[in-house]
């Protein structure tokens, strides 16, 4: 029996480990600046290095990132990481 | 109407689109309250090979506010999961479906029910409850009623739940109303209609023979009241609850095309649909703010109070029906804030305005379907609810047969202004206006037991 999934299936392409690897490669350590409180009660947090994680660069100048993982969003500020990623994107 | 495709964004996302919300003291179980939230509106019964279903990627919620702050004190969450039995066939069913675990039923949905209390503590009440199939047709499903009965689940905590396809029992003449506010029974008195029609016309129920997906929960009344009391008086503020439904999606989605299983959905849930009182977002909120309204909780509804105090439709009626709404026109011209509409939609009707009735939740302005749980079901219900002298009906909660379109039309037209201004004399048309439809214009009978909505129209007998 196969199962139909549209939910929080673990992704192989963009995992927490992979993003951390990218960050390590560009030589930047990010610092947590805040946690958004949008999560709905009853959502179980998805944890572990295999959990999908998505970065959104909200403000390139300030280096403000929204980091989405499981049922939460964390806001990070790291101007250097932002610059490195932008540089990488332009190269691609 | 009442909330089918009511806002630009959600009209493109039917799986998450709430179309109707009902809340009433159960007529056959008066110690319980039944709440029904309909989603996935306007389904054609003949919809193979991919029949309608809930979204596995949508969080569906039914909220109850028991202390009047416009925030949930009790929430039931419903999460769905679809399973395929056979990934080698294109068929929904490979033979007759005679039970919820029929091996012939290929694509099934299951759901979990989670209860969240006022402190945000979540408790999973049930997991992997089966939905009934869509009503494919009589060849595939001989006894749909039995399958639907089997899909009513009694939880250990006292609630009954049902989630699945039902007939849409909402009745509205969509085609006429959104053709410049035409009401067919009065079409010959319409500003433009009088040049087109020689007499009144018969209303047409645009949602007849269409299906929806319903989430229904029947809750022992004391579980929804603020103090948990089994018996309260109707005048007790603790008798009144506010109800709304919402649907949410994850904030981020990443699609991978041919690698569907690698798709990512992460982040907080973001609300994309909301429904309390019928027609609130549909005809009160301006189009430019409808999507915003859908994203907010009722506690934020003071942002929209100006549209309730001066409803756009109230200004249109005297223009569209010249000479019929002169008193309303004078009220509009004086820019008198419509305290009656504010009470009906945003705060509830306080004690003393309607004999033996109140459903006030206090000063917080929030669009919620307010139900006084101490008022017993009516022996002979009146589809016009409170304005028809039946305090067990809309806007005291909402029963399935309540004619909320006509009630709302009458209220907007000024019929309820005397509740707050006894000197105001409503136009004769305000107390006579109606859309010309009733529950009898729904081609299926309501059930006399939970979940009350009729079995869905089947594809074979409703091919177009």
């Amino acid at each position: 029996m196969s199962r139909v999934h549209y939910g929080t299936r673990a992704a192989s392409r963009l995992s927490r480990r992979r993003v951390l690897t990218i960050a390590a490669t560009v030589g930047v350590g990010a610092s947590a600046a805040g946690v958004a409180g949008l999560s709905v009660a009853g959502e179980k947090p998805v944890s572990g290095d295999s959990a999908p994680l998505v970065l959104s660069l909200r403000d390139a100048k300030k280096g403000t990132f929204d980091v989405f993982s499981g049922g939460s969003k964390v806001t990070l500020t790291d101007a250097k990481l932002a610059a490195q990623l932008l540089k990488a994107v332009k190269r691609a | 109407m009442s909330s089918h495709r009511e806002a630009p964004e959600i009209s493109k996302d039917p799986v998450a689109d709430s179309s109707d919300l009902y809340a009433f003291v159960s007529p056959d179980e008066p110690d319980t309250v039944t709440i029904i939230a309909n989603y996935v509106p306007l389904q054609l019964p003949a919809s193979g090979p991919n029949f309608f279903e809930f979204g596995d990627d949508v969080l569906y919620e039914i909220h109850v506010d028991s202390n009047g702050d416009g925030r949930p004190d009790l929430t039931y969450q419903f999460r769905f999961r679809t399973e395929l039995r056979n990934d080698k066939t294109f068929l929904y069913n490979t033979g007759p479906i005679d039970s919820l675990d029929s091996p012939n039923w290929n694509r099934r949905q299951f759901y979990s029910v989670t209860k969240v209390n006022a402190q945000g503590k979540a408790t999973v009440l049930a997991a992997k409850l089966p939905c009934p199939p869509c009503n494919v047709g009589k060849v595939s499903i001989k006894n749909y009623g039995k399958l639907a009965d089997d899909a009513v689940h009694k939880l250990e905590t006292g609630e009954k739940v049902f989630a699945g396809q039902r007939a849409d029992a909402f009745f509205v003449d969509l085609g006429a109303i959104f053709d410049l506010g035409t009401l067919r029974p009065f079409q010959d008195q319409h500003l433009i209609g009088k040049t087109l029609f020689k007499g009144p016309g018969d209303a047409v129920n645009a949602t007849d023979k269409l299906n929806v997906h319903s989430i229904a929960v029947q809750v022992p009344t004391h579980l929804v009241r603020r103090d948990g009391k089994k018996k309260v008086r109707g005048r007790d503020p603790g008798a009144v609850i506010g109800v709304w439904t919402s649907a949410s999606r994850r904030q981020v989605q990443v699609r991978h095309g041919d690698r569907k299983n690698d798709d990512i959905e992460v982040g907080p849930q973001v609300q994309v649909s909301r429904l309390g009182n019928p027609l609130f977002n549909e005809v009160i909120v301006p189009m430019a703010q409808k999507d915003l309204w859908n994203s907010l909780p009722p506690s934020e509804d003071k942002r929209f109070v100006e549209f309730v105090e001066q409803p756009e439709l109230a200004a249109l009626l005297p223009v569209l029906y010249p000479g019929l709404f002169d008193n309303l026109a004078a009220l509009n011209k004086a820019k008198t804030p419509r305290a009656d509409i504010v009470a009906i939609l945003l705060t509830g009707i306080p004690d003393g305005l309607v004999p033996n009735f109140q459903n006030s939740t206090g000063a917080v302005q929030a669009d919620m379907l307010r139900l006084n749980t101490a008022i017993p079901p009516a022996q002979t219900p009146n589809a016009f609810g409170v304005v028809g002298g039946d305090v067990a009906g809309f806007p005291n909660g909402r029963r399935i047969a309540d004619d909320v379109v006509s009630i709302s039309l009458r209220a907007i037209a000024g019929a309820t202004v005397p509740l707050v201004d006894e000197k105001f004399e409503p136009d004769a048309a305000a107390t006579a206006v109606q859309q010309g439809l009733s529950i009898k214009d729904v081609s299926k009978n309501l059930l006399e037991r939970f979940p009350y909505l009729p079995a869905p129209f089947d594809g074979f007998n409703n091919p177009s």
Side-chain angles (χ1 to χ4, degrees):
Chain A
M1 181 173 69
S2 62
R3 304 179 92 181
V4 177
H5 295 283
Y6 298 100
T8 55
R9 189 177 180 104
S12 58
R13 268 180 69 82
L14 186 59
S15 68
R16 181 188 299 273
R17 178 173 292 161
R18 181 155 301 192
V19 172
L20 292 176
T21 303
I22 293 168
T25 304
V26 296
V28 175
S31 59
V35 179
L38 292 175
S39 293
V40 172
E43 295 284 307
K44 283 187 179 174
V46 178
S47 58
D49 281 356
S50 62
L53 186 154
V54 175
L55 284 179
S56 168
L57 178 56
R58 179 152 43 96
D59 186 327
K61 260 188 183 171
K62 292 179 183 171
T64 307
F65 291 91
D66 289 327
V67 185
F68 300 92
S69 182
S72 66
K73 178 177 80 172
V74 178
T75 301
L76 308 174
T77 303
D78 193 315
K80 196 173 173 187
L81 175 60
Q84 298 258 7
L85 288 174
L86 286 171
K87 196 173 170 185
V89 168
K90 282 176 186 166
R91 276 203 307 264
Chain B
M1 292 187 180
S2 72
S3 186
H4 302 58
R5 307 179 74 253
E6 94 289 353
E9 282 304 311
I10 200 62
S11 69
K12 293 172 258 185
D13 186 8
V15 165
D17 184 7
S18 55
S19 57
D20 279 290
L21 176 69
Y22 304 97
F24 50 89
V25 176
S26 314
D28 56 331
E29 302 270 357
D31 293 332
T32 69
V33 167
T34 296
I35 304 170
I36 306 171
N38 286 348
Y39 282 88
V40 205
L42 306 174
Q43 301 174 17
L44 286 172
S47 297
N50 295 298
F51 291 88
F52 292 93
E53 59 194 22
F54 292 105
D56 286 9
D57 52 354
V58 177
L59 171 66
Y60 300 91
E61 295 179 292
I62 288 172
H63 309 276
V64 178
D65 171 23
S66 56
N67 62 9
D69 62 0
R71 301 172 192 280
D73 296 299
L74 170 66
T75 293
Y76 289 98
Q77 299 180 329
F78 300 83
R79 292 178 176 84
F80 292 84
R81 193 166 185 82
T82 306
E83 293 189 8
L84 280 179
R85 282 187 185 278
N86 179 352
D87 55 12
K88 303 295 183 193
T89 179
F90 70 93
L91 291 165
Y92 182 77
N93 55 301
T94 54
I97 301 172
D98 54 11
S99 68
L100 294 182
D101 59 355
S102 166
N104 294 330
W105 182 14
N106 188 31
R107 190 177 175 94
R108 299 177 299 163
Q109 275 204 306
F110 300 89
Y111 64 102
S112 66
V113 184
T114 301
K115 184 176 178 177
V116 183
N117 70 11
Q119 289 72 44
K121 185 187 173 193
T123 306
V124 178
L125 303 185
K128 208 169 182 185
L129 300 174
C131 298
C134 286
N135 201 352
V136 176
K138 61 184 181 182
V139 177
S140 292
I141 303 174
K142 192 175 178 183
N143 188 349
Y144 193 90
K146 178 186 178 301
L147 294 183
D149 287 347
D150 289 347
V152 173
H153 306 287
K154 180 84 188 269
L155 307 184
E156 288 180 359
T157 41
E159 298 91 342
K160 275 185 201 169
V161 291
F162 171 90
Q165 194 179 42
R166 295 278 92 187
D168 192 347
F170 180 56
F171 43 96
V172 61
D173 193 344
L174 265 184
I177 286 176
F178 283 97
D179 191 6
L180 282 182
T182 307
L183 299 165
R184 289 187 219 257
F186 305 93
Q187 63 189 18
D188 54 334
Q189 297 176 68
H190 185 275
L191 177 69
I192 298 171
K194 65 185 177 188
T195 66
L196 302 171
F197 307 108
K198 291 180 179 173
D202 292 329
V204 178
N205 179 14
T207 51
D208 191 27
K209 298 186 178 177
L210 297 176
N211 294 324
V212 292
H213 265 56
S214 302
I215 297 171
V217 57
Q218 190 171 74
V219 191
T221 309
H222 67 280
L223 294 181
V224 297
R225 289 179 179 146
R226 79 173 69 161
D227 47 17
K229 285 182 184 170
K230 289 195 173 179
K231 298 285 180 192
V232 293
R233 293 177 185 274
R235 303 182 90 163
D236 186 334
V240 181
I241 60 171
V243 180
W244 72 101
T245 184
S246 66
S248 303
R249 289 184 175 280
R250 294 281 186 191
Q251 196 164 2
V252 176
Q253 181 184 48
V254 181
R255 295 183 181 180
H256 287 113
D258 61 338
R259 297 184 309 282
K260 178 71 180 168
N261 284 342
D262 287 347
D263 285 358
I264 296 169
E265 284 175 352
V266 289
Q269 296 283 0
V270 176
Q271 185 176 299
V272 295
S273 180
R274 167 162 70 111
L275 179 56
N277 279 298
L279 309 168
F280 190 96
N281 202 23
E282 181 115 359
V283 300
I284 296 286
V285 179
M287 188 175 286
Q289 297 191 44
K290 287 178 188 292
D291 295 331
L292 169 68
W293 186 89
N294 263 336
S295 73
L296 296 171
S299 55
E300 294 291 320
D301 283 340
K302 56 184 176 296
R303 299 188 195 192
F304 304 94
V305 70
E306 63 180 295
F307 309 118
V308 181
E309 289 181 335
Q310 305 287 342
E312 183 183 5
L313 185 56
L316 289 173
L317 283 173
V319 177
L320 293 174
Y321 294 91
L324 292 185
F325 296 100
D326 292 342
N327 294 349
L328 175 64
L331 192 71
N332 293 338
K333 193 176 178 185
K335 296 195 179 302
T336 309
R338 293 293 300 274
D340 56 323
I341 307 294
V342 171
I344 290 168
L345 297 177
L346 293 179
T347 62
I349 299 171
D351 198 8
L353 297 185
V354 175
N356 301 315
F357 175 69
Q358 65 92 17
N359 69 347
S360 171
T361 51
V364 175
Q365 294 174 327
D367 171 46
M368 300 186 291
L369 196 51
R370 288 172 174 80
L371 175 66
N372 187 323
T373 60
I375 294 176
Q379 294 297 314
T380 51
N382 184 318
F384 283 85
V386 174
V387 299
D390 175 5
V391 295
F394 183 77
N396 184 33
R398 180 185 171 192
R399 299 168 301 198
I400 298 167
D402 286 342
D403 184 359
V404 294
V405 173
S406 295
I407 295 169
S408 301
L409 275 171
R410 289 186 181 186
I412 295 275
T416 51
V417 173
L419 288 176
V420 295
D421 178 4
E422 58 188 18
K423 292 178 185 168
F424 180 79
E425 185 181 346
D427 296 291
T431 51
V433 67
Q434 58 177 303
Q435 61 167 339
L437 295 171
S438 76
I439 193 68
K440 291 177 182 171
D441 293 291
V442 176
S443 298
K444 283 223 173 192
N445 294 327
L446 298 180
L447 305 181
E448 293 181 354
R449 62 187 188 286
F450 184 82
Y452 305 103
L453 287 172
F457 294 97
D458 75 275
F460 186 92
N461 287 308
N462 300 277
S464 64

